[in-house]
Amino acid sequence: MNILDIATRTLPLLDLTSLNDADDAFSTAALCTKAVTAVGHVAAVCLWPSFVPQAKRCLTGTGVKVATVVNFPGGSLPAEKVVDQIARALADGADEIDVVMPYAAIMAGMGGDQRAADHLLACRAACGHATMKVILESGALAKPALIARAAQVAVAAGADFLKTSTGKVPAGATLGAARIMLTACRDAGRAVGFKASGGIRDVETAGQYLALADEICGPDWVSPATFRFGASGLLDALLGVLGQGPVMPVTTGY
């Protein structure tokens, strides 16, 4: 793939993300405006739960989904609290839920896998038909065996996507972790997607992840239903390659 092909392929796979402490109604409006460009729209915006209603109003009719995060970023909340977060987000109009699995339980061993599984099963039930992306925090798990175990737990608990990272720990997405997780997606026995998130900022790096997905899951597997990039700055890089600076405005909704 040349860089133009990579950019064209990547843009509709993007979960345009803003999870900053300083986010507000104005930054949310700006994020939603950027999501619809002159060369197409991104897959979703991903933002804090409190901004879901605004984003939903802003993006109605655009084809852009609204995603939010729960049990974020530490993955340490009790299941009942996370279930409540999910219920509130769905009531506010969220289409997709990115839930941090209790990855510390995986790292602890001694029954931790089952504790993580029970937690995610409760989240799955709360999500209903909404897309559930499970964040493994692969940078914290670090060891290939732990990443593989976390992926297996998430798949068994009903994850629709395996996602690498929150972006809140020093190590984000890596190709090594992606290989393990994509292999788990391929071998799941049902449709499970993959989301690379954390530190992907340029088109060339995006191309490396697409090539890896093609290698492991097949050249026709990647689509917005099966593959996402979670990023903020990547969109500007894509638009630069595609020769599109300005974005098309949409109703702000605040």
Side-chain angles (χ1 to χ4, degrees):
M1 289 183 291
N2 62 43
I3 194 168
L4 181 59
D5 290 340
I6 294 169
T8 301
R9 195 178 178 196
T10 299
L11 191 145
L13 307 175
L14 186 62
D15 282 4
L16 186 62
T17 301
S18 186
L19 295 166
N20 302 310
D21 292 340
D23 286 345
D24 57 18
F26 294 99
S27 64
T28 299
L31 187 77
C32 293
T33 295
K34 289 183 69 175
V36 183
T37 83
V39 289
H41 62 73
V42 303
V45 297
C46 185
L47 30 62
W48 293 114
S50 59
F51 300 116
V52 166
Q54 180 188 347
K56 194 68 175 180
R57 292 192 301 270
C58 180
L59 293 167
T60 296
T62 64
V64 179
K65 297 182 182 298
V66 176
T68 193
V69 292
V70 298
N71 205 17
F72 190 93
S76 58
L77 295 176
E80 57 270 23
K81 175 70 172 179
V82 183
V83 165
D84 182 63
Q85 289 180 332
I86 292 169
R88 290 173 183 271
L90 294 178
D92 284 340
D95 302 297
E96 302 180 346
I97 302 294
D98 289 29
V99 55
V100 183
M101 77 182 304
Y103 60 89
I106 302 291
M107 297 167 69
M110 298 191 312
D113 289 13
Q114 188 59 54
R115 292 195 300 275
D118 291 343
H119 192 288
L120 290 179
L121 284 167
C123 293
R124 175 72 273 175
C127 284
H129 296 297
T131 297
M132 184 174 82
K133 309 191 198 91
V134 176
I135 305 171
L136 306 190
E137 200 66 284
S138 56
L141 293 171
K143 296 179 180 179
L146 290 178
I147 297 169
R149 275 173 42 201
Q152 291 166 2
V153 168
V155 168
D160 295 307
F161 276 76
L162 302 179
K163 177 178 172 182
T164 56
S165 315
T166 61
K168 301 297 185 180
V169 300
T174 66
L175 289 168
R179 178 173 289 278
I180 296 168
M181 294 165 68
L182 283 163
T183 301
C185 294
R186 182 196 64 195
D187 297 341
R190 60 180 179 84
V192 178
F194 170 74
K195 179 173 173 179
S197 181
I200 301 170
R201 299 182 179 88
D202 60 79
V203 181
E204 293 83 357
T205 302
Q208 293 174 354
Y209 282 90
L210 291 174
L212 186 63
D214 290 345
E215 173 197 333
I216 294 171
C217 297
D220 299 322
W221 182 76
V222 168
S223 77
T226 57
F227 191 102
R228 302 285 181 85
F229 288 104
S232 53
L234 181 58
L235 178 61
D236 292 336
L238 296 172
L239 292 176
V241 170
L242 295 170
Q244 300 291 330
V247 293
M248 299 172 64
V250 295
T251 304
T252 59
Y254 72 88

